[in-house]
Amino acid sequence: MYFPEQETHLLNDSDTNILRIHSLETFGTHDGPGIRMVVFVQGCQFRCLYCQNPDSIDVHGGSLVNIDELVSKALKQKTYFGKQGGVTVSGGEPLLQRTKLIHLFDRLHENGINTCLDSNGRVLDEHTKELLERTDLLLLDVKHINPEWHKKLTSLNNTTTLKIAEHRESTGKPMWLRYVFVPGWTDQEEYLHEWAKHFSGYKTIERVEIIPFHQLGKHKWELMNMEYALADTPSPTTEALENAKAIFSLYLENVKIK
């Protein structure tokens, strides 16, 4: 398992026709609107304690796939996408391969296919802004509003994530916000209020998704001989989730529990 942050640039600097991916899902219904082909890319700088795919973190893992191949697969599924569906790129963290995704999204748009990006917002530079201009819908994972808790949860701060939200708002292009609800970690009421209040003036947020924590990724941590800090953390109760939804709904519209 190879994690050095200084080598994440390798994902973005190599051949723009080749994408390093973790896996591919067809007929996905959980990562954006409609039916979607979901490309899970390889490599991530966050170390989320609840990561479902710790095998996607390693910048040298996964497999190399030609973008032509991905476009071809998308075209074969285009009939099923309908008016709302399309292609979602998730992770890992897609922004680590942002220049490659600019090329992919351009190709998809040339073929009339909707693009969606699911990101933790780790990187903000001119290439990120170029990619976001080509992104029909941004799914932004804002994992905690408090910087200290965010760092305890992910090992990194939330500064760039919040800046990306601000940038997206300035462009007027739509986004959904996502929040993983973890008992003992992201369930503090004062921070739920602060999280929702932070985004209350935004006009581009079409949907807010509260995602309940679960233990489905635990076995991967065990298989990789990695310590899973949340092994004894329970899934949230229905009451706790509904309470979080009620708090978010004080400030934001269209709040959903996934």
Side-chain angles (χ1 to χ4, degrees):
M1 198 66 172
Y2 199 65
F3 294 162
E5 184 167 326
Q6 66 269 24
E7 293 211 9
T8 55
H9 71 277
L10 297 175
L11 292 171
N12 198 54
D13 292 346
S14 53
D15 189 346
T16 57
N17 291 307
I18 302 294
L19 198 65
R20 187 175 290 274
I21 75 167
H22 169 268
S23 56
L24 190 68
E25 178 184 350
T26 56
F27 297 97
T29 57
H30 299 289
D31 298 281
I35 294 173
R36 311 192 72 84
M37 184 179 92
V38 186
V39 181
F40 295 94
V41 297
Q42 185 73 21
C44 187
Q45 292 174 311
F46 276 33
R47 303 291 178 263
C48 299
L49 297 182
Y50 53 71
C51 181
Q52 295 182 49
N53 294 305
D55 51 329
S56 72
I57 296 174
D58 188 347
V59 299
H60 296 302
S63 57
L64 298 175
V65 178
N66 194 291
I67 283 176
D68 288 340
E69 181 180 341
L70 294 175
V71 174
S72 178
K73 288 181 181 293
L75 285 171
K76 290 178 181 177
Q77 298 178 46
K78 186 178 178 181
T79 304
Y80 302 99
F81 293 156
K83 294 182 178 180
Q84 288 190 314
V87 172
T88 296
V89 179
S90 186
E93 174 46 50
L95 293 181
L96 298 184
Q97 300 187 65
R98 54 204 177 281
T99 58
K100 299 163 181 281
L101 294 179
I102 290 171
H103 179 44
L104 172 62
F105 280 16
D106 279 343
R107 293 286 310 282
L108 292 172
H109 280 157
E110 287 169 6
N111 288 281
I113 296 174
N114 176 276
T115 60
C116 181
L117 186 75
D118 181 10
S119 171
N120 61 37
R122 177 57 184 159
V123 182
L124 180 58
D125 60 12
E126 290 307 310
H127 289 147
T128 297
K129 292 177 182 179
E130 287 182 39
L131 175 60
L132 291 176
E133 278 301 306
R134 294 160 169 82
T135 300
D136 295 317
L137 176 65
L138 172 65
L139 308 182
L140 187 63
D141 302 299
V142 185
K143 300 174 187 296
H144 209 293
I145 195 63
N146 179 268
E148 293 181 4
W149 273 100
H150 191 279
K151 192 166 186 177
K152 286 193 286 187
L153 189 66
T154 71
S155 83
L156 295 170
N157 64 54
N158 60 4
T159 303
T160 307
T161 303
L162 298 178
K163 286 182 178 178
I164 282 187
E166 184 178 349
H167 172 75
R168 185 66 172 184
E169 173 71 7
S170 74
T171 68
K173 296 174 72 68
M175 65 177 160
W176 294 4
L177 297 182
R178 291 178 141 187
Y179 188 79
V180 180
F181 190 88
V182 188
W185 288 88
T186 65
D187 60 348
Q188 309 98 327
E189 287 197 6
E190 66 269 34
Y191 293 131
L192 293 175
H193 281 280
E194 186 178 339
W195 190 98
K197 191 180 296 184
H198 179 90
F199 297 107
S200 61
Y202 280 50
K203 306 299 183 184
T204 59
I205 298 171
E206 295 184 341
R207 179 182 175 106
V208 178
E209 295 185 337
I210 300 173
I211 304 173
F213 166 77
H214 56 68
Q215 292 281 359
L216 296 181
K218 180 181 178 182
H219 71 285
K220 289 191 177 183
W221 289 75
E222 294 171 346
L223 286 171
M224 298 174 68
N225 294 315
M226 295 170 61
E227 181 184 357
Y228 185 49
L230 303 185
D232 297 322
T233 301
S235 296
T237 64
T238 299
E239 181 182 5
L241 289 168
E242 289 295 341
N243 182 56
K245 179 181 178 182
I247 291 173
F248 279 9
S249 296
L250 292 173
Y251 310 93
L252 300 162
E253 298 181 355
N254 199 24
V255 179
K256 306 291 184 182
I257 299 172
K258 288 286 283 181

